[in-house]
Amino acid sequence: MTKAEKHNNSYINREISWLQFNARVLQEGLDENVPLIERLRFLGIFSNNLDEFFKVRYATVKRIVDAGKEGKNQLGGIKAKELLEIITQIVIKQQTESLEILNNITSKLEEENIYIINETQIDSSQHDFIKKYYIQKVSPALVTIILNDSIELPNLKDSAAYLAVRMEISNNDKQYALIEIPKSVNRFVELPKQGDKSFLIMVDDLLRHCLSDIFNIFDYKSISAHMIKITRDGELDFDSDLSKSFIDKISDSVKHRQVGEPVRFVYDKTIDKETLQYLLSKMGIDTTDSIIPGGRYHNRRDYMSFPSLGRTDLLYDKIEALPIKGLSLEVSIFEAIAKKDYLLYAPYQTFSYIVKFLREAALDPKVKTIKITIYRLAQISHIASSLINAAINGKTVTVSIELQARFDEQANIDYAQQMEKEGVNLIFGVQGLKVHSKMCVIEREEGKKMKRYGFISTGNFNESTAKIYTDHTLFTSDQSILKDVNKIFNFFQTNYKIFRYKHLITSPHYTQSSVYKLIDKEIEKVKNENQGFIRLKMNSISSYKMIDKLYEASRAGVKIQMIVRGICCLIPGVEGMSENIEVISVIDKFLEHSRLYIFGNNEKAKVYISSADWMTRNIDTRVEVSCPIYAEDLKQEIIETFNICWNDNVKARVLSVSEENEYKKNDNELVRSQFAIYDYYLKKLES
């Protein structure tokens, strides 16, 4: 089959592309250059990603099937029913590979004197410890469900792991039960060390060891336990009760998610067929659900929290987040920003500047108003506490908080209620739109005038994720940019008006048309015998309109370099369509999260940081902001760090027609971009 025949379509299916991304995460578990415990944690990330995929993307496709539709236009030319089958086959293959990787890592851990034992390997000294641990820690948290034909099975919790227990009773009778693996107990139990050997047992196996204690009231001849897990549709469904507040509606929807339609059932492939069929029948799972045989253990996402055991040699070295030259956490941040713009690139530089900005605003008597958008807050949020502090000090604080930030709804609801009690003005987004922009503007009285200060970011204002997500934040007192930011907050209040912006590119009204104009200028350069050049960095690209525009630019001769971490429906390197487009994906220690747009290749290049990926939702159904970088030194900094990432030949994978996630070929000098960027900022401090 020729390349042209294989790719008569112009796009890779979004779901398949996402699974290719998760395969890159799985590659980190395989990479022997990654520290051993970190490799285990990447397996956890792979599993956690897969859970969310089934709750959201697989569930969406299944809804199309359940509605009796083909969905070919929505799914890149593939029928929905066929796509479900393709997804299941890919996932089965990836799950098998992840199990092989896990077994390999487990063997390597034993070479490091770290042993993960099961219930058949417990010695007498460990038995006493486990019994005591079970009685004191596990038993009080245990939920055990006895199954029988006359009682309807309670709804099993979404993504919770269960041990399916089968007891052989006298006269060939069988008794089934389910044990819920308690989330309140650490999945990995550290056992007493023996010399220089460390031992761990999973709670699953601890429970298997204690089955006789759990079921001591039953007179059984034999007993067995195999793990199962069910994943449910994660979409929120809202009721139309007008008497309920928006917070109440979201809160109720989050609770209802736990009883959503099942979309995936994973089971230990060694379970006997009779038990499996009994469970499937009892739970009402049919062949349209993804039924996936797996290994002995599920919920491998718990490996994300695999204990370090004091073995720093098996972990990534911790980096110390760097200061920004010219900014101080000990003096006024407003005074510094009044003189020039500053750029923060987390986690290489410290997120503390954002907290410092808000704390200073909360205390400064000259600050009158604070407006900020919030998408995902940390569990313990200094951002939220600073805003509450500001309201207590008499500032007018307005917070646009997105209660529909998927899987973080409850945390945002809790903070929204706290802020509301303390007098913070809350805006719950815009009808039909998610507020995904990341921005803040404050008004400060200086003389007889009000002056604005603020920041615009590519990432969430979240102290926890700021340690592992790469994101850019611009601190500025540019009054023209901040006037546009203030207009967006006005739009939140009066969204029947469509405002015009002189500097910012905003969704849902202007992103597509504005980006088209920027691309057209690069096409025009080629027509005038100059070089057209576009560099883009984002998490995902799936909007066919945006992809088609890049294809148009490629056919015109514009050179396009793209760094895309996740979904990439664009097919690069196809003659006559995209031969001038190259795409790489970098998966490494940190999660690449910045969105950058660079148009042009000289001192006149236009550079933007953005909250928006190029997905249909970011273009059409979200409030997004792309902010120009005007300061020449900051423009150059973004271009230089982009180029470092582009030149990565250690952790970069080339996205191509083959869809094989091949690593970028090593040249003479190895460039591991995340480490090189940290060194870049170290040198800037020294210069």
Side-chain angles (χ1 to χ4, degrees):
M1 182 179 286
T2 66
K3 187 187 294 183
E5 287 171 338
K6 184 178 178 183
H7 287 283
N8 51 5
N9 287 330
S10 301
Y11 321 104
I12 295 171
N13 169 267
R14 170 178 162 158
E15 283 67 37
I16 293 173
S17 179
W18 187 94
L19 290 169
Q20 290 169 4
F21 150 67
N22 212 29
R24 296 193 284 278
V25 175
L26 191 57
Q27 283 178 326
E28 291 298 287
L30 188 63
D31 189 345
E32 293 190 358
N33 293 315
V34 176
L36 201 52
I37 291 178
E38 303 286 0
R39 288 172 62 187
L40 264 184
R41 291 176 179 175
F42 271 108
L43 283 185
I45 296 168
F46 163 82
S47 182
N48 188 63
N49 287 347
L50 204 55
D51 282 347
E52 292 195 5
F53 172 80
F54 271 90
K55 289 177 191 177
V56 181
R57 294 308 310 162
Y58 186 94
T60 299
V61 179
K62 186 174 181 294
R63 285 188 177 204
I64 294 171
V65 173
D66 291 344
K69 298 177 181 177
E70 286 192 349
K72 287 176 71 174
N73 292 336
Q74 297 163 261
L75 303 171
I78 302 177
K79 291 180 181 178
K81 195 168 184 180
E82 292 175 5
L83 182 57
L84 292 183
E85 293 170 3
I86 293 169
I87 289 170
T88 299
Q89 291 308 309
I90 292 173
V91 170
I92 288 172
K93 183 181 176 184
Q94 289 184 349
Q95 292 278 46
T96 302
E97 186 180 351
S98 73
L99 184 58
E100 291 170 357
I101 293 170
L102 177 59
N103 290 337
N104 174 265
I105 295 173
T106 302
S107 298
K108 297 280 186 186
L109 285 171
E110 289 181 359
E111 294 174 15
E112 296 290 341
N113 279 331
I114 297 172
Y115 297 86
I116 305 173
I117 63 171
N118 63 34
E119 77 280 7
T120 68
Q121 300 166 305
I122 296 168
D123 65 26
S124 57
S125 64
Q126 292 166 337
H127 169 82
D128 294 338
F129 177 89
I130 286 170
K131 282 288 185 180
K132 187 176 180 182
Y133 189 92
Y134 167 75
I135 292 167
Q136 293 181 350
K137 299 284 182 70
V138 181
S139 180
L142 217 53
V143 174
T144 304
I145 304 165
I146 304 300
L147 305 179
N148 62 58
D149 294 334
S150 61
I151 298 176
E152 188 175 340
L153 178 70
N155 267 300
L156 302 189
K157 292 179 183 175
D158 172 54
S159 294
Y162 293 85
L163 286 177
V165 177
R166 172 185 169 122
M167 290 175 274
E168 296 282 351
I169 312 293
S170 56
N171 302 324
N172 291 323
D173 288 338
K174 299 171 186 67
Q175 176 64 60
Y176 296 101
L178 293 173
I179 303 173
E180 183 181 338
I181 306 294
K183 288 185 178 179
S184 58
V185 178
N186 290 334
R187 186 79 181 276
F188 296 93
V189 179
E190 293 184 46
L191 302 177
K193 288 189 76 168
Q194 297 180 7
D196 58 357
K197 293 181 179 180
S198 295
F199 293 90
L200 296 159
I201 188 168
M202 296 184 78
V203 165
D204 328 13
D205 292 328
L206 183 149
L207 288 170
R208 287 185 173 102
H209 183 66
C210 297
L211 285 175
S212 60
D213 297 290
I214 300 169
F215 297 102
N216 57 25
I217 65 169
F218 291 91
D219 183 18
Y220 57 81
K221 292 189 292 184
S222 65
I223 189 167
S224 61
H226 296 81
M227 187 165 284
I228 63 168
K229 181 177 79 170
I230 192 167
T231 306
R232 298 185 181 277
D233 187 335
E235 198 61 45
L236 294 181
D237 291 312
F238 303 104
D239 63 36
S240 56
D241 186 347
L242 297 177
S243 67
K244 286 186 179 180
S245 70
F246 190 59
I247 288 182
D248 288 340
K249 287 182 181 181
I250 296 286
S251 187
D252 287 347
S253 297
V254 171
K255 292 172 186 173
H256 290 156
R257 180 185 278 153
Q258 286 295 334
V259 295
E261 284 296 307
V263 292
R264 178 178 58 156
F265 177 79
V266 186
Y267 64 93
D268 182 343
K269 60 178 177 286
T270 65
I271 196 171
D272 63 277
K273 289 184 179 179
E274 188 179 5
T275 303
L276 179 61
Q277 287 306 314
Y278 177 84
L279 292 169
L280 292 175
S281 173
K282 199 75 175 162
M283 288 185 280
I285 293 174
D286 58 36
T287 53
T288 64
D289 303 305
S290 194
I291 301 171
I292 298 175
R296 179 180 169 92
Y297 308 102
H298 309 322
N299 272 11
R300 291 194 197 123
R301 64 169 182 245
D302 293 334
Y303 283 102
M304 293 167 67
S305 303
F306 190 84
S308 62
L309 302 168
R311 294 294 300 271
T312 55
D313 56 317
L314 302 180
L315 301 169
Y316 278 124
D317 292 337
K318 287 187 177 180
I319 68 163
E320 183 179 347
L322 300 169
I324 298 172
K325 200 169 185 177
L327 275 188
S328 172
L329 295 171
E330 297 177 3
V331 298
S332 172
I333 204 164
F334 290 127
E335 287 183 15
I337 296 170
K339 297 171 186 172
K340 69 183 292 289
D341 289 354
Y342 287 89
L343 191 69
L344 162 64
Y345 195 3
Y348 309 109
Q349 295 167 314
T350 178
F351 181 81
S352 298
Y353 290 109
I354 292 176
V355 178
K356 160 70 174 169
F357 180 98
L358 291 173
R359 281 185 171 160
E360 185 175 338
L363 300 180
D364 188 343
K366 293 181 180 179
V367 170
K368 302 303 177 185
T369 69
I370 302 172
K371 299 175 184 177
I372 190 170
T373 57
I374 286 175
Y375 194 69
R376 297 185 194 275
L377 286 169
Q379 282 192 332
I380 300 173
S381 174
H382 299 303
I383 300 293
S385 63
S386 297
L387 296 169
I388 290 169
N389 192 175
I392 291 170
N393 283 341
K395 321 295 182 189
T396 302
V397 181
T398 302
V399 176
S400 171
I401 186 163
E402 184 49 70
L403 296 185
Q404 296 180 71
R406 199 183 303 272
F407 304 124
D408 278 331
E409 299 96 345
Q410 192 58 54
N412 283 5
I413 288 167
D414 293 343
Y415 270 116
Q417 290 171 334
Q418 285 182 43
M419 287 189 280
E420 198 168 42
K421 285 178 185 175
E422 298 295 347
V424 173
N425 302 317
L426 295 182
I427 302 172
F428 299 120
V430 179
Q431 183 84 23
L433 303 174
K434 272 190 181 181
V435 177
H436 192 248
S437 52
K438 295 87 168 56
M439 57 190 181
C440 175
V441 59
I442 74 110
E443 291 179 326
R444 188 171 186 266
E445 193 173 44
E446 298 184 3
K448 294 182 179 180
K449 292 184 178 180
M450 299 296 287
K451 184 173 180 180
R452 293 187 177 112
Y453 296 81
F455 52 83
I456 301 171
S457 185
T458 68
N460 306 313
F461 305 135
N462 183 312
E463 299 93 322
S464 298
T465 58
K467 296 173 184 175
I468 52 174
Y469 285 27
T470 69
D471 275 304
H472 285 88
T473 301
L474 174 72
F475 291 95
T476 186
S477 63
D478 186 317
Q479 298 303 291
S480 54
I481 287 177
L482 294 171
K483 183 179 180 181
D484 276 2
V485 172
N486 204 53
K487 280 185 184 179
I488 297 172
F489 282 97
N490 291 337
F491 169 69
F492 294 154
Q493 302 277 20
T494 56
N495 44 72
Y496 54 87
K497 287 185 181 179
I498 298 177
F499 293 84
R500 294 199 171 274
Y501 307 95
K502 290 186 178 179
H503 302 272
L504 301 180
I505 297 174
T506 64
S507 293
H509 302 118
Y510 301 111
T511 296
Q512 181 177 303
S513 59
S514 298
V515 170
Y516 274 19
K517 287 177 184 176
L518 289 163
I519 294 173
D520 284 337
K521 286 181 181 177
E522 296 308 303
I523 293 173
E524 194 63 32
K525 288 179 186 176
V526 177
K527 291 178 180 176
N528 294 331
E529 299 184 353
N530 293 317
Q531 186 187 36
F533 196 29
I534 299 171
R535 283 165 282 187
L536 305 169
K537 186 173 186 288
M538 57 188 70
N539 297 318
S540 298
I541 175 167
S542 62
S543 165
Y544 295 164
K545 291 178 182 178
M546 303 300 275
I547 291 170
D548 287 344
K549 192 66 181 177
L550 291 174
Y551 287 162
E552 179 189 340
S554 173
R555 286 192 293 269
V558 178
K559 300 293 182 185
I560 303 170
Q561 294 176 345
M562 300 177 66
I563 304 170
V564 182
R565 187 193 83 235
I567 297 166
C568 183
C569 296
L570 179 149
I571 306 173
V574 177
E575 189 176 345
M577 181 175 78
S578 58
E579 65 265 42
N580 286 309
I581 304 177
E582 297 176 88
V583 187
I584 65 169
S585 178
V586 175
I587 307 291
D588 200 356
K589 177 181 180 180
F590 304 127
L591 183 139
E592 296 289 340
H593 195 251
S594 290
R595 290 92 166 184
L596 306 173
Y597 314 152
I598 305 168
F599 298 92
N601 193 30
N602 52 35
E603 66 279 356
K604 294 182 180 179
K606 293 183 181 296
V607 177
Y608 294 82
I609 63 172
S610 181
S611 63
D613 292 311
W614 285 7
M615 305 175 77
T616 301
R617 67 189 188 192
N618 302 102
I619 307 299
D620 297 333
T621 62
R622 288 188 171 187
V623 178
E624 305 275 12
V625 168
S626 302
C627 177
I629 303 297
Y630 291 139
E632 290 301 323
D633 59 331
L634 302 187
K635 281 172 62 174
Q636 195 59 33
E637 183 179 317
I638 287 175
I639 291 169
E640 287 171 358
T641 52
F642 179 98
N643 289 340
I644 292 172
C645 199
W646 181 257
N647 291 324
D648 192 308
N649 55 18
V650 176
K651 287 296 184 179
R653 284 76 156 175
V654 177
L655 304 192
S656 64
V657 171
S658 68
E659 304 168 15
E660 293 296 330
N661 283 331
E662 293 178 356
Y663 285 90
K664 198 172 182 180
K665 290 180 181 176
N666 288 337
D667 299 321
N668 293 330
E669 184 180 351
L670 296 181
V671 178
R672 189 169 178 178
S673 58
Q674 292 186 353
F675 291 63
I677 288 171
Y678 186 78
D679 290 341
Y680 168 89
Y681 282 108
L682 267 178
K683 289 175 184 174
K684 282 181 79 74
L685 286 173
E686 295 166 359
S687 62

